[in-house]
Amino acid sequence: MSGETERRLAELGVTLPTPTAPAANYVPVVKSGNQLFVSGQLPMGADGLTCKGKVGADVSIEDAREAAKLCAINILAQAKAALGGDLGKLVRIVKLTGFVNSVPDFGDQPKIINGASDFLVDVLGDRGRHARSAVSAGALPFNAAVEVEAIIEVAG
């Protein structure tokens, strides 16, 4: 399945980046049994944080949705690194938790986190379907608009 996943990423024009190092005292991924717990990923691109500010004031739904997709790309990059480069060991995305840095009366968090969910299903098919929470946050690290973490089932 690694080849299948890599082919699909290539078809979508996505190259997984080299994962970024943690910004504090934590590890980016913990493997426990047959699960990977991927720490919250920010929308970090080649030039750093791509989407800053509050959704509903500074950031549009469309831009935040793209930021959530970038978080999902970074989740896959972290998973690939944790799996020794073999995305074929990824059995399925079990759960995503998405945080949206939004104004108090903003209620469209699911629309934002759909950027991550839709991307993972597009790349992984049924292996990308997952349980999910999409919640508002009063603030996120570095004033990021979005942060997404994941639980992933892996083979042996």
Side-chain angles (χ1 to χ4, degrees):
M1 293 243 186
S2 179
E4 177 184 321
T5 301
E6 298 288 350
R7 268 192 305 280
R8 184 64 185 139
L9 287 166
E11 287 171 4
L12 295 171
V14 174
T15 301
L16 296 181
T18 300
T20 58
N25 188 15
Y26 66 91
V27 294
V29 180
V30 170
K31 184 175 188 298
S32 180
N34 66 337
Q35 294 185 321
L36 296 180
F37 293 82
V38 181
S39 295
Q41 299 296 300
L42 300 177
M44 298 297 284
D47 296 323
L49 190 59
T50 65
C51 192
K52 295 180 185 180
K54 289 215 176 278
V55 180
D58 315 310
V59 178
S60 71
I61 288 176
E62 295 77 20
D63 287 347
R65 183 179 160 84
E66 281 300 308
K69 175 183 174 182
L70 185 51
C71 293
I73 290 169
N74 291 330
I75 285 169
L76 287 182
Q78 292 286 3
K80 182 176 179 177
L83 295 171
D86 186 1
L87 283 174
K89 294 179 181 176
L90 191 153
V91 174
R92 79 169 302 151
I93 306 296
V94 176
K95 181 165 187 203
L96 292 184
T97 303
F99 304 92
V100 180
N101 180 2
S102 57
V103 296
D105 62 346
F106 185 80
D108 285 331
Q109 292 82 4
K111 287 182 183 177
I112 306 304
I113 305 306
N114 279 346
S117 295
D118 292 348
F119 172 76
L120 291 169
V121 171
D122 199 11
V123 170
L124 300 168
D126 284 339
R127 296 182 307 138
R129 297 194 186 284
H130 52 269
R132 186 182 87 181
S133 297
V135 299
S136 181
L140 289 172
F142 311 110
N143 198 29
V146 183
E147 180 175 354
V148 183
E149 65 181 28
I151 301 170
I152 300 172
E153 181 182 356
V154 296

